[in-house]
Amino acid sequence: SPFCYWEMRNLLLAAVATLLLCSCSAAQREATSCGYNACPKPVPGRYNVHLVPHTHDDVGWLRTVDQYYYYEVQFIIDTVIEELLDNPERKFTYVKQLVKNGQLQFALGGWCMDDEATTHYVDIIDQHTQGLRFLNDTFGDCGRPRVAWQVDPFGHSKEHTAMLAQMGFDGLYYGRIDYQDQALRRKTRRMEMVWQASQDIGSPRADLFSGKLYDGYCQPGGFGFEYGDEPVQDDPQLYDYNVEQKVKQFVDMVNSRRQVYSSDHLMLTMGCDFQYQNARKNFKIYDKLIKAVNARTAAHNITVYYSTPSCYTKSVHDQNLMWTVKSDDFFPYAHQAHAFWTGYFTSRAALKRYVRTASNQFQAIKQTSCLAGLQRAGPQLEAKLDLLRQAMGVVQHHDGVSGTEKQVVAYDYALRVSTGINQAYSLLQSAWANLTGDSAAYSGMSSCSLANISYCPFTDSNNNFYLHFYNPVSHPVWHLARIPVKGRYYVVSNQQGQAVTSQTIPVNNGTLRVPERAGAKSSYELVFNVSTIPAMGFVVYRVAAAAPGSPGVSTFTPIQSVFMDSKPADGELDWRDGGSESLNERESLDYRPVFAPLKRDDVIEFSQLKEAKKSNPIGDSKMSYMAYYYGYPGNNSAPEFTASGAYLFRPTKQTPERFSLEEIASVTGPVVNETHVVWSNWTYQVLRKFANNGDSLQYSENELTVGPIPYDANTGREVIVRYNTQLNSSATFYTDANGRQVLRRVRDYRPTWPLQQTENVSGNYYPINSQIFLNQSDGSSFMVLTDRSEGGGSINDGQIEIMLHRITVRDDALGVGEALQEKGSDGRGLVVKVTHWLAADQSLPSSSRRRRELANRRYREPLIGYLTAEPKVKSWSGLRRPLPENVQVVTLDDWRGPNTKLLRLEHLYQIGEHPALSQPVTVALGQLFATFNILSATELTLAANQNLNSAQRLQWRTPAGGGTTVGDAAREAEERLQLEQDITVTLRPMQIRTFVVQVQYL
């Protein structure tokens, strides 16, 4: 298992340091004995079996990360190290001892073994950078992992693999692929391949040799000695002497497995979850097994020895074989019929959103700390960020943000992130105080983490205040602000002191019923446009309570009811004139909304997105509706009885249940028009159409509040939203991979194997990290941008379906041991609020620009600070000029001293998405930032643990070639010269370039 510990890292470091001292003399005798130089030499002419002892230790799943360490992991570390010291032949892929003499090697090396479906690319890069930096700082280059070890995630991402390749890894191994895919690969001996993971980055830079372990990451059956399997008993005087039987069992197993691989090497993973707490038992038996098998090599031509994944990779590479290639991904994953692991794409939707918002805050705090030069005051300020850095690393775990952990562990993840944010927030206060010279204003700056449910203690206590909007995007952006307030009438002033158009709207009943609002005083939401927030900069707006009729005062817009002739079961809308009882103020948290009356002429169409042109293909008045599936409550005794659970999504029927529409209502105002739809007493939808504010990237918003989902002992519900369009999508739709490259999906189809579909809905769900869209042959398109990772697909042509929230009544028998039944603060089912941004376009270039820009904004939403004192500076940018529209700063972070920074830039577009924005773009770095000059820059690999110029990767033969061409080499040489002489960089589509830069503050 990869090295993936965080708060216990100091304990591990102390133990390893002691061992390094013990092995110092050996390391001095052979300074080049680590890495591939430490690998055992294969025996020519024989079949070489690489026995790889390992343990898979989750950083949270059934127990919290701390509990796992104290209950189990510390004993693995202690006993393994003792046994490795005892025999230099032994190797271990977890805390392999004595790095310098090659006994201790690391695989992957991230802060955790992250999930690949629900993680965002920025978080993936960060957590690998964190772990690999620790290894490099502790062990030097000998501690650098050569291969990636993703043996437990539940499907594998193309973008994730492309990033691993750009981090410098030589190989990737995984334990799970679809059972049908695996059967074909076994039959055709294609269990190992070269994964061409980015056609934009190209070969060989984004290629990675990839291998599927034979049957997961645990030891072969019959050789789980820690589980109680029969050991090797090698004393012939004993009645249970069994050497011949165990050797035959081993040889038969090897001969069976070798049939599905192409080389003369086989890797056997000898370990499993939290094994080696008694390392002596395991190693003593393995020593006997190795000795016995090798003593009989003449009979079976097999040689077995201790090895590691990296040594296995090097041995296979050195055979110089020709490998098949793969260019799609491994989603969705099913381990048997009816068992698609697509539920976890949405499981624990609130945690997924929390991780996404925390990630944005983490990046913004790093940016502002660097711009302000806080580290110049000493490392103690930067240390305040460590807790958040570590928490964000550990929550990317494949049983973390994935939502597949026990409830108590989910609470622990959220607590760690919350504690980290709270500790790091003072850095924002210090940064703005330093940058503006205004500590009086910023020392009291507050945040409102529950503003999404219209709860903000700051605005509950203040009627007059200032709002500080920080934009982490590298370009100026518009922002639609929605601030919880107590009253109806306010004047909002921009940075020039001019009143801006604003609107107040009552907090709707979907939000009012959220129990976490207990104690909130806000009854309204103040809505206005913020234009324009400078690139990586801020503006300050003022909000002041006012009397009705005051100059520039906000427009109060009540929620007005529309009555229908009937309540059709299919949820279609049928309007009629009518009235309703009107209440200006609601006095109770009634589930049924109470609206002011509305005349028929004032009704807004349910399709907020419908354009004036009749040719617009996106839909009619039934464009969007909510529904739910009943999760199958099986007993898991056979595939046909597979239950829906935290991992698996399996609906009882393939058609969702439609709500009987309860009520609809409308808001009409100068900033936003809204259509409110009450589907039930636990589902509430608000479609928003914004007034044209001058932003070229117009979109509409769909807010969906779900919960508490009704629960009984036999009925789980999985709640969805469907978007219907008139697009002829031909069973095709598109989803993103980890927020970056887009993949084409086709219903009931897999690109590399013939699918026998067993679940028409869940078998067509894919991870949606940021976007899903439909295209038509004439260029028309419809897109949905999500605020967190979710699952969804296109179950019918012209339709997008996204799962929002789910509970299950059964465990799906995949290890977590409990049903997915999250509770809110009131002990009832958790209420989740989701927002989607929606847009339609008539051309693919326009659609691509809108998608890319909005997805970038969606992740990097402005951070809002709340202040009582008036700041001296009302507008500021951290960049002397905005970056080109297709370039974004991914990382700006302190790095080994106050005048050294880690800088990453990315190209936001793929090849062919836009005629101009998909072209290479050049950026001069020297005078880019407002507070410092960049004096020099050295390019690193993506995870910042190797100098790119000296990094070397193993090259693999494929039918299409793919090695570095003369043109590539010349271009790279030119770019190195460009960086050295002019501190200028060129970015090509989808490229992320990483630099360590030396700076001089102004």
Side-chain angles (χ1 to χ4, degrees):
S1 178
F3 179 80
C4 51
Y5 294 96
W6 57 303
E7 73 267 359
M8 76 280 285
R9 72 190 192 283
N10 291 329
L11 295 171
L12 180 57
L13 177 57
V16 174
T18 301
L19 293 170
L20 288 173
L21 289 173
C22 295
S23 65
C24 184
S25 59
Q28 291 170 342
R29 286 195 301 269
E30 189 174 2
T32 60
S33 60
C34 64
Y36 292 135
N37 292 320
C39 292
K41 302 298 182 184
V43 181
R46 294 182 185 170
Y47 194 72
N48 291 258
V49 176
H50 297 248
L51 194 150
V52 178
H54 80 108
T55 181
H56 180 80
D57 300 343
D58 296 294
V59 290
W61 180 36
L62 309 181
R63 289 173 169 157
T64 70
V65 60
D66 287 350
Q67 290 169 342
Y68 270 139
Y69 177 74
Y70 281 103
Y71 277 80
E72 301 179 77
V73 173
Q74 63 173 322
F75 306 113
I76 299 172
I77 295 172
D78 292 344
T79 62
V80 165
I81 287 173
E82 182 179 347
E83 292 306 307
L84 292 177
L85 282 171
D86 190 55
N87 183 351
E89 298 294 320
R90 296 168 177 166
K91 299 189 181 289
F92 200 73
T93 314
Y94 161 58
V95 277
K96 298 192 64 170
Q97 180 227 46
L98 305 178
V99 175
K100 289 186 178 180
N101 70 9
Q103 273 188 277
L104 193 155
Q105 292 183 12
F106 299 93
L108 187 63
W111 208 244
C112 72
M113 183 187 293
D114 58 21
D115 180 50
E116 298 191 33
T118 64
T119 44
H120 192 270
Y121 73 96
V122 174
D123 299 326
I124 294 168
I125 295 170
D126 273 356
Q127 76 93 4
H128 283 94
T129 301
Q130 173 83 343
L132 292 170
R133 179 178 179 177
F134 171 72
L135 291 180
N136 186 70
D137 289 350
T138 307
F139 304 113
D141 191 61
C142 281
R144 176 171 59 86
R146 268 60 173 180
V147 300
W149 191 247
Q150 288 289 110
V151 296
D152 200 20
F154 328 123
H156 300 280
S157 159
K158 184 176 179 180
E159 179 63 31
H160 192 279
T161 300
M163 290 191 287
L164 291 176
Q166 293 170 82
M167 290 175 190
F169 290 107
D170 286 324
L172 162 67
Y173 297 96
Y174 36 83
R176 307 177 193 272
I177 63 173
D178 190 280
Y179 71 105
Q180 295 181 45
D181 189 8
Q182 175 168 287
L184 180 60
R185 289 187 178 278
R186 284 184 174 184
K187 183 177 180 180
T188 56
R189 304 185 76 176
R190 291 187 298 114
M191 294 283 276
E192 296 173 326
M193 71 216 79
V194 172
W195 194 344
Q196 295 180 337
S198 173
Q199 283 62 55
D200 302 285
I201 303 299
S203 297
R205 295 169 190 81
D207 294 355
L208 193 57
F209 178 77
S210 304
K212 167 65 176 68
L213 302 179
Y214 182 85
D215 192 20
Y217 57 84
C218 293
Q219 64 278 307
F223 296 91
F225 304 123
E226 206 162 328
Y227 287 154
D229 285 346
E230 183 183 19
V232 176
Q233 300 177 73
D234 58 347
D235 187 343
Q237 299 182 59
L238 300 179
Y239 289 118
D240 291 330
Y241 175 80
N242 66 353
V243 170
E244 301 301 332
Q245 296 95 311
K246 293 302 287 188
V247 168
K248 182 179 185 305
Q249 182 185 19
F250 184 84
V251 169
D252 289 347
M253 176 268 296
V254 168
N255 284 332
S256 174
R257 295 188 174 210
R258 69 188 294 183
Q259 303 305 314
V260 307
Y261 295 96
S262 300
S263 76
D264 292 336
H265 298 266
L266 177 69
M267 178 164 57
L268 296 180
T269 51
M270 308 302 281
C272 202
D273 292 359
F274 298 97
Q275 288 197 1
Y276 288 82
Q277 294 184 53
N278 187 347
R280 170 159 293 185
K281 177 179 181 180
N282 282 312
F283 278 118
K284 189 170 185 177
I285 298 173
Y286 290 148
D287 288 348
K288 293 180 179 181
L289 180 64
I290 291 171
K291 179 180 179 181
V293 171
N294 290 341
R296 294 159 177 79
T297 296
H300 46 64
N301 202 39
I302 291 172
T303 295
V304 59
Y305 40 80
Y306 287 117
S307 187
T308 67
S310 59
C311 293
Y312 169 79
T313 302
K314 184 64 165 61
S315 296
V316 171
H317 168 268
D318 289 349
Q319 283 200 261
N320 200 31
L321 302 177
M322 183 72 71
W323 299 97
T324 60
V325 299
K326 177 181 178 65
S327 59
D328 58 323
D329 65 358
F330 286 106
F331 289 116
Y333 160 62
H335 69 284
Q336 61 184 19
H338 306 291
F340 285 92
W341 298 48
T342 54
Y344 82 96
F345 298 163
T346 300
S347 294
R348 304 198 187 280
L351 178 64
K352 285 177 165 62
R353 174 60 180 165
Y354 191 39
V355 171
R356 184 64 54 87
T357 58
S359 175
N360 181 35
Q361 291 179 66
F362 179 40
Q363 305 309 317
I365 293 171
K366 290 190 295 183
Q367 285 181 3
T368 55
S369 295
C370 284
L371 290 169
L374 294 186
Q375 202 177 74
R376 290 178 294 173
Q380 66 277 4
L381 286 177
E382 172 63 17
K384 292 185 177 181
L385 194 56
D386 285 348
L387 199 61
L388 180 57
R389 193 186 301 274
Q390 294 162 7
M392 289 303 299
V394 78
V395 78
Q396 309 307 322
H397 176 54
H398 57 270
D399 286 307
V401 68
S402 60
T404 54
E405 65 274 22
K406 283 188 178 293
Q407 183 63 62
V408 66
V409 180
Y411 289 148
D412 184 72
Y413 284 133
L415 177 62
R416 292 174 188 277
V417 173
S418 174
T419 305
I421 290 173
N422 291 339
Q423 179 169 295
Y425 193 75
S426 63
L427 292 177
L428 271 181
Q429 297 169 321
S430 298
W432 295 127
N434 284 13
L435 287 166
T436 63
D438 193 358
S439 59
Y442 286 100
S443 61
M445 186 174 71
S446 300
S447 65
C448 288
S449 59
L450 296 178
N452 67 317
I453 57 171
S454 302
Y455 178 28
C456 178
F458 179 92
T459 59
D460 281 354
S461 304
N462 294 278
N463 290 322
N464 303 292
F465 50 88
Y466 295 86
L467 297 172
H468 177 282
F469 295 93
Y470 175 66
N471 166 31
V473 178
S474 303
H475 326 116
V477 302
W478 291 69
H479 176 65
L480 195 287
R482 183 172 290 264
I483 308 298
V485 291
K486 294 185 294 183
R488 291 183 177 183
Y489 300 105
Y490 295 84
V491 174
V492 179
S493 305
N494 64 16
Q495 65 268 37
Q496 285 88 31
Q498 301 165 340
V500 301
T501 302
S502 61
Q503 176 181 348
T504 54
I505 306 168
V507 176
N508 64 63
N509 271 25
T511 301
L512 283 173
R513 70 164 179 261
V514 177
E516 286 74 20
R517 276 182 48 86
K521 299 177 182 178
S522 52
S523 299
Y524 304 93
E525 295 172 333
L526 176 64
V527 185
F528 56 93
N529 284 303
V530 183
S531 60
T532 303
I533 313 177
M536 285 180 64
F538 69 82
V539 294
V540 175
Y541 276 38
R542 181 175 185 264
V543 175
S550 300
V553 75
S554 55
T555 302
F556 171 64
T557 54
I559 303 174
Q560 299 176 301
S561 182
V562 178
F563 280 86
M564 302 172 293
D565 291 325
S566 61
K567 292 182 181 177
D570 63 2
E572 296 181 12
L573 304 180
D574 181 16
W575 315 96
R576 70 172 175 83
D577 292 327
S580 160
E581 179 184 2
S582 174
L583 292 179
N584 290 332
E585 300 287 346
R586 282 159 287 170
E587 298 177 353
S588 66
L589 302 184
D590 185 359
Y591 284 129
R592 289 294 299 252
V594 181
F595 301 120
L598 175 71
K599 297 179 180 179
R600 181 182 179 88
D601 293 342
D602 296 328
V603 172
I604 300 171
E605 283 189 285
F606 184 42
S607 173
Q608 294 277 9
L609 297 175
K610 190 170 183 180
E611 304 290 345
K613 291 176 62 176
K614 292 182 179 179
S615 60
N616 192 315
I618 66 169
D620 55 21
S621 62
K622 294 173 282 186
M623 188 203 128
S624 171
Y625 64 87
M626 297 176 72
Y628 60 93
Y629 295 99
Y630 287 118
Y632 189 76
N635 62 13
N636 302 302
S637 59
E640 60 268 29
F641 302 125
T642 296
S644 213
Y647 298 92
L648 306 185
F649 166 42
R650 190 187 182 205
T652 299
K653 298 189 302 183
Q654 302 304 302
T655 303
E657 306 294 325
R658 297 285 292 270
F659 290 102
S660 295
L661 188 62
E662 296 271 337
E663 200 159 2
I664 64 171
S666 177
V667 171
T668 305
V671 180
V672 62
N673 293 337
E674 298 183 345
T675 298
H676 293 236
V677 185
V678 184
W679 294 104
S680 71
N681 65 359
W682 53 277
T683 47
Y684 195 106
Q685 180 176 9
V686 183
L687 280 155
R688 298 187 175 107
K689 178 69 174 178
F690 305 112
N692 192 334
N693 58 9
D695 188 355
S696 62
L697 300 172
Q698 294 293 305
Y699 62 91
S700 296
E701 183 175 87
N702 193 15
E703 179 185 278
L704 306 124
T705 305
V706 182
I709 300 176
Y711 169 81
D712 63 60
N714 297 305
T715 306
R717 287 179 173 86
E718 326 225 6
V719 184
I720 63 165
V721 61
R722 277 186 167 178
Y723 299 101
N724 292 326
T725 78
Q726 296 171 355
L727 290 170
N728 180 12
S729 55
S730 303
T732 302
F733 58 104
Y734 301 83
T735 63
D736 70 287
N738 306 108
R740 296 209 80 222
Q741 59 178 302
V742 164
L743 279 72
R744 178 176 180 264
R745 310 297 193 183
V746 179
R747 190 165 56 251
D748 294 328
Y749 172 76
R750 304 292 186 264
T752 53
W753 46 280
L755 172 66
Q756 299 297 313
Q757 186 62 275
T758 61
E759 292 288 328
N760 293 331
V761 176
S762 61
N764 285 300
Y765 262 44
Y766 290 85
I768 306 167
N769 212 275
S770 69
Q771 57 192 275
I772 179 172
F773 60 96
L774 304 175
N775 284 343
Q776 189 170 268
S777 59
D778 66 356
S780 301
S781 66
F782 173 70
M783 69 190 73
V784 181
L785 295 110
T786 64
D787 66 349
R788 73 202 72 194
S789 290
E790 295 175 309
S794 179
I795 308 305
N796 302 294
D797 280 358
Q799 183 185 83
I800 287 175
E801 174 175 315
I802 300 176
M803 185 176 290
L804 307 170
H805 189 19
R806 59 196 304 258
I807 67 168
T808 70
V809 296
R810 298 283 188 274
D811 173 46
D812 46 23
L814 294 170
V816 73
E818 65 182 33
L820 183 64
Q821 295 172 8
E822 296 180 281
K823 298 292 191 292
S825 60
D826 61 352
R828 306 177 65 207
L830 183 68
V831 180
V832 169
K833 184 184 290 288
V834 174
T835 59
H836 293 158
W837 288 358
L838 318 174
D841 269 291
Q842 300 296 324
S843 73
L844 292 182
S846 175
S847 172
S848 295
R849 177 176 179 267
R850 195 182 305 270
R851 277 192 301 101
R852 289 295 180 183
E853 292 292 321
L854 289 179
N856 194 31
R857 290 192 196 179
R858 177 102 263 214
Y859 167 63
R860 297 177 170 91
E861 294 180 349
L863 265 65
I864 305 177
Y866 296 75
L867 307 101
T868 54
E870 180 179 3
K872 298 175 183 177
V873 180
K874 302 297 195 299
S875 180
W876 179 86
S877 177
L879 299 177
R880 298 186 206 182
R881 61 190 181 281
L883 284 171
E885 188 177 337
N886 50 1
V887 177
Q888 171 66 40
V889 172
V890 178
T891 304
L892 179 60
D893 198 0
D894 286 307
W895 192 259
R896 306 185 194 285
N899 296 316
T900 306
K901 311 296 177 188
L902 185 67
L903 174 65
R904 289 191 182 92
L905 300 175
E906 70 169 317
H907 194 302
L908 291 169
Y909 286 76
Q910 290 185 251
I911 292 173
E913 285 189 323
H914 193 279
L917 298 173
S918 289
Q919 299 302 314
V921 59
T922 299
V923 178
L925 300 182
Q927 297 183 359
L928 176 61
F929 295 97
T931 60
F932 56 77
N933 290 331
I934 294 178
L935 305 179
S936 64
T938 302
E939 188 161 11
L940 308 177
T941 53
L942 183 58
N945 68 327
Q946 298 179 74
N947 188 308
L948 186 65
N949 290 344
S950 59
Q952 295 183 340
R953 297 175 61 223
L954 301 178
Q955 302 297 304
W956 304 82
R957 293 178 61 210
T958 63
T964 302
T965 66
V966 174
D968 291 336
R971 188 187 73 191
E972 291 171 2
E974 180 181 348
E975 290 179 354
R976 285 195 296 270
L977 187 63
Q978 184 185 51
L979 182 65
E980 292 170 3
Q981 293 185 347
D982 303 325
I983 322 180
T984 300
V985 301
T986 298
L987 292 156
R988 287 171 170 76
M990 282 286 102
Q991 191 175 21
I992 301 177
R993 297 184 67 179
T994 303
F995 307 94
V996 59
V997 298
Q998 301 299 319
V999 308
Q1000 183 179 59
Y1001 280 92
L1002 303 177

